[in-house]
Amino acid sequence: MLELSDAQIGGWVGQFALPFFRVASLLATMPIIGTQLVPMRIRLLMAVAVSLVLVPILPDVPTVDALTLSAFLLVLEQVLIGVMLGLALQLFFQVFLVAGQLLAMQMGLGFASMVDPANGITVPVLGQFLNMLATLLFLGMNGHLVALDILAESFITLPIGEGLSTNHFWLIAGRLGWVLGAGLLLVLPAITALLVVNLAFGLMTRAAPQLNIFSVGFPLTLVLGFLITWVGLADVLSQYQQAATEALQWLRELAQAP
């Protein structure tokens, strides 16, 4: 009959279960993998697979009793670290939704929205288009592998039992304004061009008051907005690389010890 001691059970809990909670929390909250498009069972199997790969190379983890308050606090700590890293990636993808919202409002497409199947919320069509483009670029440039690499490094720079500090939460709060700034910078040329178009229509109205600017300007603004957006896509890659570099660097800073 196989008998297991408390020390053996505690060692297994600390060696596998604690890293598993950090990995599973990240995969459950990060974009793409953590969306509703990926079933929960698939995410759970991915978390188990990643944990099995990481456990042999991780530094020593504390041995804890499975049913004690200290074990519960360690599990809660790992969940918070994983959610924090996943939230950082979510903020990066929100940049493109904000950019699409700003551009849609300037074009007069603020009413054109659709249900995002990944998050289950209503987003502007242009925002969804930019979000899909960012998703393809993120996967094409192996951004998900970089995120997993940073996760693996976090077990060294932020060991289990080290604890979080208020600096991590201040880093997240400080990046909330970065989302709006990066989104505005992404579509600033298009917004500026559409502003010039609207100013031109205003001058036309002053010069010819009998001209029905609403019946003429609205469709022209839409057509020119789509044309400006199409031309601006040529520079999306460079702007995406800059935003992705800043986001991943910020993610690496979050994974550092306090």
Side-chain angles (χ1 to χ4, degrees):
M1 181 177 178
L2 179 63
E3 295 183 359
L4 298 176
S5 63
D6 294 340
Q8 289 176 319
I9 296 177
W12 290 348
V13 169
Q15 191 66 28
F16 177 79
L18 294 178
F20 169 77
F21 279 107
R22 185 183 297 193
V23 173
S25 300
L26 173 65
L27 295 182
T29 55
M30 71 178 295
I32 306 173
I33 299 177
T35 60
Q36 298 179 3
L37 298 178
V38 180
M40 184 62 70
R41 292 181 180 179
I42 301 298
R43 278 180 272 175
L44 182 60
L45 291 176
M46 292 178 62
V48 172
V50 174
S51 300
L52 289 175
V53 173
L54 289 179
V55 163
I57 61 175
L58 292 181
D60 295 335
V61 297
T63 301
V64 295
D65 294 332
L67 301 178
T68 59
L69 179 60
S70 60
F72 173 76
L73 293 177
L74 285 176
V75 169
L76 181 61
E77 174 192 289
Q78 304 314 303
V79 171
L80 287 177
I81 293 175
V83 171
M84 177 184 65
L85 298 178
L87 178 60
L89 289 175
Q90 287 284 359
L91 290 178
F92 166 65
F93 277 82
Q94 291 300 315
V95 169
F96 300 92
L97 293 178
V98 170
Q101 178 70 48
L102 294 173
L103 185 57
M105 294 297 293
Q106 191 68 21
M107 288 174 55
L109 276 178
F111 62 90
S113 59
M114 61 179 296
V115 177
D116 183 6
N119 300 311
I121 59 176
T122 302
V123 297
V125 175
L126 285 177
Q128 181 67 6
F129 169 73
L130 293 177
N131 189 34
M132 293 172 59
L133 183 61
T135 300
L136 294 176
L137 290 174
F138 187 78
L139 294 176
M141 296 182 178
N142 293 328
H144 57 297
L145 299 181
V146 176
L148 292 178
D149 180 64
I150 295 175
L151 173 66
E153 291 182 2
S154 70
F155 287 100
I156 300 175
T157 58
L158 197 61
I160 296 175
E162 185 73 22
L164 293 173
S165 67
T166 56
N167 295 332
H168 294 94
F169 300 101
W170 281 116
L171 281 173
I172 294 179
R175 280 288 172 161
L176 295 178
W178 173 81
V179 174
L180 180 60
L184 180 61
L185 185 63
L186 184 65
V187 294
L188 186 59
I191 291 179
T192 304
L194 289 173
L195 179 61
V196 174
V197 171
N198 290 328
L199 289 176
F201 284 135
L203 293 176
M204 291 172 57
T205 305
R206 295 288 296 178
Q210 67 275 12
L211 179 65
N212 191 350
I213 195 62
F214 291 102
S215 60
V216 177
F218 185 71
L220 282 179
T221 302
L222 286 178
V223 173
L224 291 175
F226 282 122
L227 179 61
I228 293 170
T229 303
W230 175 64
V231 173
L233 288 178
D235 194 43
V236 166
L237 181 59
S238 61
Q239 297 182 4
Y240 169 83
Q241 289 177 336
Q242 180 180 358
T245 301
E246 293 181 6
L248 292 176
Q249 180 62 33
W250 175 50
L251 186 65
R252 197 175 295 274
E253 292 176 1
L254 282 175
Q256 301 296 321

